[in-house]
Amino acid sequence: MKKISLFIISILVVALVSACGTAKNESEQNTGAESGEQKVLKMATSADYPPFEYIDTAKGSEIIGFDIDLVNALAEKTGYKVEVQDMDFNSLIPALQAKQIDLVLAGMTPTPERAENVDFTDIYYTANHMIVSLKDNEVKSIEELKGKTIGVQLGSIQEEKAAEISEEVTIKVENRNKISELVQELKAGRIDAAIIEDTVANGYFAKDDQLAGFTLDSSEEAGSAIAFQKESQYTEEFDAALKEMKENGELDKLIVKWFGDQK
């Protein structure tokens, strides 16, 4: 009888110690959660779009640019850390839909079609389309595109612009994954012109005197916004932080830093 009592007491002691240990672990976890430890958000971009996002190989392998500075500023305001990864532009929205990433900053325009699959913040930057060609065979108007091959980035809003142009003049449209590939194809003579956002095109003009271009007339500017998963909890937080940056001048400072005083 005494042995049985001792056995029962032993079991109770073990259970009590175990319970205390569990409570301690839970307390430590709660303390860690309340200690200001930042949640890490996964962001994807297409790092072929200077000055929005790109890799300056002369300085290293880190992705830099306007969008990167912007997301870091927004993350600081909202209390998050952001990990940035590079992928092809046409893979960005599918990655959001598959919940492989939390957000996208990639100079992305919030078209109605895209908005069916992801949520967007307000516009943070606006730009126009430009037709880029070689100076030796310069295209100066929409009419001069007739019968020519036009390059656009796969999955971009420029694809839609090419479709609009094809209703005015007969053109052949070819897609490439990266803007740099379009420029290479242009210089190799495999395409006659490319449709590129003017801010990005101006960056190429500054480094390559073989290129020329003209801005397309448009009543609607192509704006860039941040994309999140549908019904994401982060959209409203980042939108509020973005509004704050617009109002206090922080966004304008980033625009001047990366694009010059053009706004």
Side-chain angles (χ1 to χ4, degrees):
M1 188 71 176
K2 189 179 281 189
K3 289 183 178 179
I4 294 176
S5 298
L6 289 172
F7 178 69
I8 293 173
I9 291 172
S10 298
I11 292 175
L12 291 173
V13 170
V14 170
L16 181 60
V17 171
S18 177
C20 289
T22 301
K24 182 180 178 182
N25 289 337
E26 289 178 353
S27 176
E28 288 174 348
Q29 290 173 1
N30 291 335
T31 301
E34 294 170 2
S35 64
E37 187 175 335
Q38 293 174 298
K39 178 177 175 60
V40 178
L41 301 183
K42 294 180 180 179
M43 172 190 143
T45 191
S46 181
D48 65 328
Y49 210 54
F52 288 91
E53 43 269 325
Y54 65 104
I55 299 172
D56 187 343
T57 54
K59 297 180 179 179
S61 57
E62 184 180 0
I63 301 173
I64 60 174
F66 172 63
D67 281 347
I68 308 304
D69 279 3
L70 176 59
V71 77
N72 286 334
L74 292 171
E76 184 176 346
K77 289 180 179 298
T78 51
Y80 299 107
K81 287 185 177 179
V82 176
E83 289 182 353
V84 182
Q85 57 182 295
D86 184 23
M87 60 177 64
D88 288 341
F89 188 84
N90 62 310
S91 300
L92 295 173
I93 287 182
L96 274 177
Q97 290 179 280
K99 298 185 177 180
Q100 297 170 345
I101 55 175
D102 299 298
L103 69 155
V104 164
L105 263 87
M108 182 176 285
T109 301
T111 63
E113 294 77 16
R114 289 171 178 164
E116 292 178 2
N117 299 307
V118 299
D119 287 340
F120 285 100
T121 62
D122 289 337
I123 297 293
Y124 63 82
Y125 187 80
T126 55
N128 292 298
H129 301 297
M130 180 172 277
I131 301 293
V132 178
S133 58
L134 294 178
K135 283 184 179 178
D136 290 344
N137 193 23
E138 187 173 354
V139 176
K140 298 182 178 180
S141 67
I142 294 292
E143 291 71 28
E144 291 182 15
L145 288 173
K146 184 177 181 180
K148 297 187 182 296
T149 300
I150 311 301
V152 292
Q153 186 177 35
L154 185 63
S156 69
I157 193 174
Q158 284 76 36
E159 279 189 313
E160 298 175 18
K161 195 63 184 179
E164 291 178 21
I165 292 173
S166 68
E167 295 176 0
E168 298 181 44
V169 295
T170 303
I171 58 172
K172 179 183 178 182
V173 180
E174 292 198 4
N175 302 317
R176 295 294 184 272
N177 283 320
K178 299 182 181 295
I179 299 296
S180 56
E181 292 175 10
L182 292 177
V183 175
Q184 290 170 3
E185 294 292 84
L186 186 61
K187 297 178 77 170
R190 287 187 282 269
I191 61 175
D192 301 296
I195 308 177
I196 302 174
E197 191 171 287
D198 59 353
T199 302
V200 177
N202 287 330
Y204 279 96
F205 295 157
K207 297 178 181 179
D208 194 331
D209 59 7
Q210 296 183 57
L211 302 175
F214 70 94
T215 302
L216 293 173
D217 293 331
S218 175
S219 58
E220 296 183 5
E221 293 179 311
S224 299
I226 308 169
F228 290 89
Q229 297 171 15
K230 267 295 183 184
E231 300 180 358
S232 170
Q233 69 182 78
Y234 309 119
T235 309
E236 187 175 344
E237 294 179 63
F238 274 70
D239 219 5
L242 179 60
K243 182 179 180 181
E244 180 184 333
M245 290 187 68
K246 288 179 179 179
E247 292 175 347
N248 66 18
E250 290 180 81
L251 183 59
D252 284 337
K253 288 180 181 178
L254 285 183
I255 289 171
V256 171
K257 173 184 175 180
W258 288 101
F259 307 117
D261 192 4
Q262 56 178 287
K263 298 303 285 182

Coordinates of all heavy atoms in Angstrom, one line a residue, residues 206-251:
A206 N 20.8 57.4 -70.8 CA 21.9 58.0 -70.1 C 23.2 57.2 -70.2 O 24.3 57.8 -70.2 CB 21.6 58.3 -68.6
K207 N 23.1 55.9 -70.4 CA 24.2 55.1 -70.5 C 24.5 54.6 -71.9 O 25.6 54.0 -72.2 CB 24.0 53.8 -69.6 CG 23.8 54.2 -68.2 CD 23.6 52.9 -67.3 CE 23.4 53.2 -65.9 NZ 23.1 52.0 -65.1
D208 N 23.6 54.8 -72.9 CA 23.8 54.2 -74.2 C 23.3 55.2 -75.3 O 22.1 55.4 -75.4 CB 22.9 52.9 -74.3 CG 23.3 52.1 -75.5 OD1 23.8 52.7 -76.6 OD2 23.2 50.9 -75.5
D209 N 24.3 55.8 -76.0 CA 23.9 56.8 -77.0 C 23.4 56.3 -78.3 O 23.1 57.0 -79.2 CB 25.1 57.8 -77.2 CG 26.3 57.1 -77.7 OD1 26.2 55.8 -78.0 OD2 27.4 57.7 -77.8
Q210 N 23.3 54.9 -78.4 CA 22.7 54.3 -79.6 C 21.2 54.4 -79.6 O 20.5 54.1 -80.6 CB 23.2 52.9 -79.7 CG 24.7 52.7 -79.9 CD 25.0 51.3 -80.1 OE1 24.5 50.6 -81.0 NE2 25.9 50.8 -79.3
L211 N 20.6 54.6 -78.4 CA 19.2 54.5 -78.2 C 18.5 55.9 -78.4 O 19.0 56.9 -78.0 CB 18.8 53.9 -76.9 CG 19.4 52.5 -76.6 CD1 19.1 52.1 -75.1 CD2 18.9 51.5 -77.6
A212 N 17.2 55.8 -78.8 CA 16.4 57.0 -79.0 C 15.0 56.6 -78.6 O 14.6 55.4 -78.5 CB 16.5 57.6 -80.4
G213 N 14.1 57.6 -78.4 CA 12.7 57.3 -78.1 C 11.8 58.5 -78.1 O 12.3 59.6 -78.0
F214 N 10.5 58.2 -78.1 CA 9.5 59.2 -77.9 C 8.4 58.7 -77.0 O 8.1 57.6 -76.9 CB 9.0 59.7 -79.3 CG 8.1 58.7 -80.0 CD1 6.7 58.7 -79.8 CD2 8.6 57.7 -80.8 CE1 5.8 57.8 -80.4 CE2 7.8 56.8 -81.4 CZ 6.4 56.8 -81.2
T215 N 7.8 59.7 -76.3 CA 6.8 59.3 -75.3 C 5.4 59.3 -76.0 O 5.1 60.2 -76.8 CB 6.7 60.4 -74.2 OG1 8.0 60.5 -73.5 CG2 5.7 60.0 -73.1
L216 N 4.7 58.3 -75.7 CA 3.3 58.1 -76.3 C 2.4 59.1 -75.6 O 2.4 59.2 -74.3 CB 2.9 56.7 -76.1 CG 3.6 55.6 -76.9 CD1 3.1 54.2 -76.5 CD2 3.4 55.8 -78.4
D217 N 1.5 59.7 -76.4 CA 0.5 60.6 -75.8 C -0.5 59.7 -75.1 O -0.9 58.6 -75.6 CB -0.2 61.4 -76.9 CG 0.7 62.4 -77.6 OD1 1.6 62.9 -76.8 OD2 0.5 62.7 -78.7
S218 N -0.9 60.1 -73.9 CA -1.8 59.3 -73.1 C -2.6 60.2 -72.2 O -2.0 61.0 -71.5 CB -1.1 58.2 -72.4 OG -2.0 57.5 -71.5
S219 N -3.9 60.0 -72.2 CA -4.8 60.7 -71.2 C -4.7 60.1 -69.8 O -5.0 60.7 -68.8 CB -6.2 60.7 -71.7 OG -6.7 59.4 -71.8
E220 N -4.2 58.8 -69.8 CA -4.1 58.1 -68.5 C -2.6 57.7 -68.3 O -2.0 57.0 -69.1 CB -5.0 56.9 -68.5 CG -6.4 57.2 -68.5 CD -7.3 56.0 -68.4 OE1 -6.7 54.9 -68.2 OE2 -8.5 56.1 -68.6
E221 N -2.0 58.2 -67.2 CA -0.7 57.8 -66.9 C -0.7 56.4 -66.3 O -1.6 56.0 -65.6 CB 0.0 58.8 -65.9 CG 0.2 60.2 -66.5 CD 0.8 61.1 -65.5 OE1 0.3 61.2 -64.4 OE2 1.8 61.8 -65.9
A222 N 0.4 55.7 -66.5 CA 0.6 54.4 -65.9 C 1.2 54.5 -64.5 O 2.3 55.0 -64.4 CB 1.4 53.5 -66.8
G223 N 0.4 54.2 -63.5 CA 0.9 54.3 -62.1 C 1.4 53.0 -61.5 O 1.0 51.9 -61.9
S224 N 2.2 53.1 -60.5 CA 2.8 51.9 -59.8 C 2.2 51.9 -58.4 O 2.0 52.9 -57.7 CB 4.3 52.0 -59.7 OG 4.9 52.0 -61.0
A225 N 1.8 50.7 -58.0 CA 1.3 50.5 -56.6 C 1.9 49.2 -56.1 O 2.5 48.4 -56.8 CB -0.2 50.3 -56.7
I226 N 1.7 49.0 -54.7 CA 2.2 47.8 -54.1 C 1.1 46.8 -54.1 O -0.1 47.0 -53.8 CB 2.5 48.1 -52.6 CG1 3.5 49.3 -52.5 CG2 3.2 46.9 -51.9 CD1 3.7 49.9 -51.1
A227 N 1.5 45.5 -54.4 CA 0.5 44.4 -54.5 C 0.6 43.5 -53.3 O 1.7 43.2 -52.9 CB 0.7 43.6 -55.8
F228 N -0.5 43.1 -52.8 CA -0.6 42.1 -51.7 C -1.5 41.0 -52.0 O -2.3 41.0 -53.0 CB -1.1 42.8 -50.4 CG -0.2 43.8 -49.8 CD1 -0.2 45.1 -50.2 CD2 0.7 43.4 -48.8 CE1 0.7 46.1 -49.6 CE2 1.6 44.3 -48.3 CZ 1.6 45.7 -48.7
Q229 N -1.5 39.9 -51.2 CA -2.5 38.8 -51.4 C -3.9 39.4 -51.2 O -4.1 40.4 -50.5 CB -2.2 37.7 -50.4 CG -0.9 37.0 -50.5 CD -0.6 36.1 -49.3 OE1 -1.5 35.8 -48.5 NE2 0.6 35.7 -49.1
K230 N -4.8 38.7 -51.8 CA -6.2 39.1 -51.6 C -6.6 39.1 -50.1 O -6.3 38.2 -49.4 CB -7.2 38.2 -52.4 CG -7.5 38.6 -53.8 CD -8.3 39.9 -53.8 CE -8.7 40.3 -55.2 NZ -9.4 41.6 -55.2
E231 N -7.2 40.2 -49.7 CA -7.7 40.4 -48.3 C -6.5 40.3 -47.3 O -6.7 39.8 -46.2 CB -8.8 39.3 -48.0 CG -10.0 39.5 -48.9 CD -11.1 38.4 -48.5 OE1 -10.9 37.6 -47.6 OE2 -12.2 38.5 -49.1
S232 N -5.4 40.7 -47.7 CA -4.2 40.7 -46.8 C -4.4 41.7 -45.7 O -4.9 42.8 -45.9 CB -2.9 41.1 -47.6 OG -1.9 41.3 -46.8
Q233 N -3.9 41.4 -44.5 CA -4.0 42.3 -43.4 C -3.0 43.4 -43.5 O -3.1 44.5 -42.8 CB -3.7 41.5 -42.1 CG -2.2 41.1 -42.0 CD -1.9 40.3 -40.7 OE1 -2.3 39.1 -40.7 NE2 -1.3 40.9 -39.8
Y234 N -2.0 43.3 -44.4 CA -1.0 44.3 -44.5 C -1.3 45.4 -45.5 O -0.7 46.5 -45.4 CB 0.3 43.6 -45.0 CG 0.7 42.4 -44.2 CD1 0.8 41.2 -44.8 CD2 1.0 42.5 -42.9 CE1 1.2 40.0 -44.1 CE2 1.3 41.4 -42.1 CZ 1.4 40.1 -42.8 OH 1.8 39.0 -42.1
T235 N -2.3 45.3 -46.4 CA -2.6 46.3 -47.4 C -2.9 47.6 -46.7 O -2.4 48.7 -47.1 CB -3.7 45.8 -48.3 OG1 -3.5 44.5 -48.8 CG2 -3.9 46.8 -49.4
E236 N -3.8 47.6 -45.8 CA -4.3 48.8 -45.1 C -3.2 49.5 -44.3 O -3.0 50.7 -44.3 CB -5.5 48.5 -44.2 CG -6.1 49.7 -43.6 CD -7.4 49.4 -42.8 OE1 -7.9 48.3 -42.9 OE2 -7.8 50.3 -42.0
E237 N -2.3 48.7 -43.7 CA -1.2 49.2 -42.9 C -0.2 49.9 -43.8 O 0.2 51.1 -43.5 CB -0.5 48.1 -42.1 CG -1.3 47.4 -41.1 CD -0.5 46.3 -40.4 OE1 0.5 46.6 -39.8 OE2 -0.9 45.1 -40.5
F238 N 0.2 49.3 -44.9 CA 1.1 49.9 -45.8 C 0.5 51.1 -46.5 O 1.2 52.1 -46.8 CB 1.6 48.9 -46.8 CG 2.8 48.1 -46.3 CD1 2.6 47.2 -45.2 CD2 4.1 48.3 -46.8 CE1 3.7 46.4 -44.7 CE2 5.2 47.5 -46.3 CZ 5.0 46.6 -45.3
D239 N -0.8 51.1 -46.8 CA -1.4 52.2 -47.5 C -1.4 53.4 -46.6 O -1.2 54.5 -47.0 CB -2.9 51.8 -47.8 CG -3.3 52.3 -49.2 OD1 -2.5 52.9 -49.9 OD2 -4.5 52.2 -49.5
A240 N -1.7 53.2 -45.3 CA -1.6 54.3 -44.3 C -0.2 54.9 -44.2 O -0.1 56.1 -44.1 CB -2.1 53.8 -43.0
A241 N 0.8 54.0 -44.2 CA 2.2 54.5 -44.1 C 2.6 55.2 -45.4 O 3.3 56.3 -45.3 CB 3.1 53.3 -43.9
L242 N 2.1 54.8 -46.5 CA 2.3 55.4 -47.8 C 1.7 56.8 -47.8 O 2.3 57.8 -48.3 CB 1.8 54.6 -48.9 CG 2.0 55.1 -50.4 CD1 3.5 55.3 -50.7 CD2 1.3 54.2 -51.4
K243 N 0.5 56.9 -47.3 CA -0.2 58.2 -47.3 C 0.6 59.2 -46.4 O 0.8 60.4 -46.7 CB -1.6 58.0 -46.7 CG -2.4 59.3 -46.6 CD -3.8 59.1 -46.1 CE -4.6 60.4 -46.0 NZ -5.9 60.2 -45.4
E244 N 1.1 58.7 -45.3 CA 2.0 59.5 -44.4 C 3.2 60.0 -45.1 O 3.6 61.2 -45.0 CB 2.4 58.7 -43.2 CG 3.2 59.5 -42.2 CD 3.7 58.6 -41.0 OE1 3.0 57.6 -40.7 OE2 4.8 58.9 -40.4
M245 N 3.9 59.1 -45.9 CA 5.0 59.5 -46.6 C 4.7 60.6 -47.7 O 5.6 61.4 -48.0 CB 5.7 58.3 -47.3 CG 6.4 57.4 -46.3 SD 7.3 56.1 -47.0 CE 8.7 57.0 -47.8
K246 N 3.6 60.5 -48.3 CA 3.1 61.5 -49.3 C 2.9 62.8 -48.6 O 3.3 63.9 -49.2 CB 1.9 61.0 -50.0 CG 2.0 59.9 -51.0 CD 0.7 59.5 -51.6 CE 0.8 58.4 -52.5 NZ -0.5 58.0 -53.1
E247 N 2.3 62.8 -47.5 CA 1.9 64.1 -46.8 C 3.1 64.8 -46.2 O 3.2 66.0 -46.1 CB 0.9 63.8 -45.7 CG -0.5 63.4 -46.3 CD -1.5 63.0 -45.3 OE1 -1.1 62.8 -44.1 OE2 -2.7 62.8 -45.6
N248 N 4.1 64.0 -45.6 CA 5.2 64.6 -45.0 C 6.4 64.9 -45.8 O 7.5 65.4 -45.4 CB 5.6 63.8 -43.7 CG 6.2 62.5 -44.1 OD1 6.6 62.2 -45.2 ND2 6.2 61.6 -43.1
G249 N 6.3 64.5 -47.1 CA 7.4 64.8 -48.1 C 8.4 63.8 -48.2 O 9.4 63.9 -49.0
E250 N 8.4 62.7 -47.4 CA 9.4 61.6 -47.5 C 9.4 60.9 -48.9 O 10.4 60.6 -49.4 CB 9.1 60.6 -46.5 CG 9.4 61.0 -45.0 CD 9.1 59.9 -44.0 OE1 10.0 59.1 -43.8 OE2 8.0 60.0 -43.4
L251 N 8.2 60.8 -49.5 CA 8.1 60.1 -50.8 C 8.7 61.0 -51.9 O 9.5 60.5 -52.7 CB 6.6 59.8 -51.1 CG 6.4 59.1 -52.5 CD1 7.1 57.7 -52.4 CD2 4.9 58.9 -52.7

